[in-house]
Amino acid sequence: MNKNFLFTQIGYTYLPTANIEGSSQWYEKYLGLKLIDKFDDRGSLIAILHYPHKHSIALVLVETTEHQPLSILRNGSPYPVLTMNCPNIEDTYQKLKEQGAEVQELHFIADGEAKYFYFKDDQGNLLEAAWSKWDPVDEVKENFLI
């Protein structure tokens, strides 16, 4: 069956920053992303960051002078704008805490079948780290780690 899809996957996600250099370095240091490119686009800087996995989406940092940290209000409480999968969430949780990142409590769902915690990046954007037994397994991009 050959179907013409309108879209094939989510390509990337945008996050605002008032400091493109500092934020790029924060995402590399704390979350292990790799800066792929940085350029001027329509009067502000853009930074493209990737993980080494073949099917991961890109994180695009957009420098803005009208910076306002992102979060969603869900039932009156802040909710993350982006979730990042963690193969070892307990280790990730501990490392982020030790490095001084603003990390909230680790939660367990459905008898440990899923785990998550919220944290903030250097600009105050609310993010989520998550693991579940249903997470897909992905391959590393060739030559990415060289």
Side-chain angles (χ1 to χ4, degrees):
M1 176 181 190
N2 191 2
K3 174 147 174 66
N4 292 323
F5 294 98
L6 294 178
F7 301 97
T8 58
Q9 66 184 23
I10 295 172
Y12 39 88
T13 188
Y14 296 106
L15 284 178
T17 178
N19 178 353
I20 201 93
E21 293 297 327
S23 291
S24 296
Q25 291 171 8
W26 190 93
Y27 277 91
E28 287 181 299
K29 176 183 175 182
Y30 287 92
L31 304 186
L33 283 143
K34 180 178 180 180
L35 180 63
I36 301 298
D37 200 3
K38 185 172 47 175
F39 53 89
D40 184 79
D41 178 51
R42 293 172 263 178
S44 70
L45 289 174
I46 301 286
I48 311 293
L49 296 108
H50 274 269
Y51 278 116
H53 305 284
K54 286 186 177 183
H55 302 291
S56 66
I57 65 171
L59 175 65
V60 179
L61 298 175
V62 180
E63 194 168 55
T64 177
T65 56
E66 301 84 19
H67 177 67
Q68 181 176 354
L70 297 181
S71 67
I72 298 167
L73 280 180
R74 180 181 181 196
N75 301 323
S77 297
Y79 196 75
V81 295
L82 173 68
T83 298
M84 306 183 87
N85 291 16
C86 303
N88 186 340
I89 194 162
E90 288 90 355
D91 185 53
T92 301
Y93 179 77
Q94 195 60 41
K95 283 182 180 173
L96 285 176
K97 281 183 74 168
E98 288 170 2
Q99 291 176 322
E102 188 177 333
V103 177
Q104 297 180 14
E105 180 182 343
L106 180 61
H107 297 274
F108 297 82
I109 301 173
D111 296 325
E113 293 177 325
K115 305 169 188 176
Y116 73 94
F117 64 89
Y118 297 163
F119 64 101
K120 290 186 179 178
D121 70 6
D122 67 312
Q123 299 291 300
N125 296 304
L126 187 60
L127 310 174
E128 179 182 51
W131 170 88
S132 81
K133 69 177 194 174
W134 306 283
D135 288 346
V137 175
D138 198 3
E139 299 174 44
V140 172
K141 295 173 190 169
E142 214 172 292
N143 299 321
F144 189 88
L145 301 173
I146 295 174

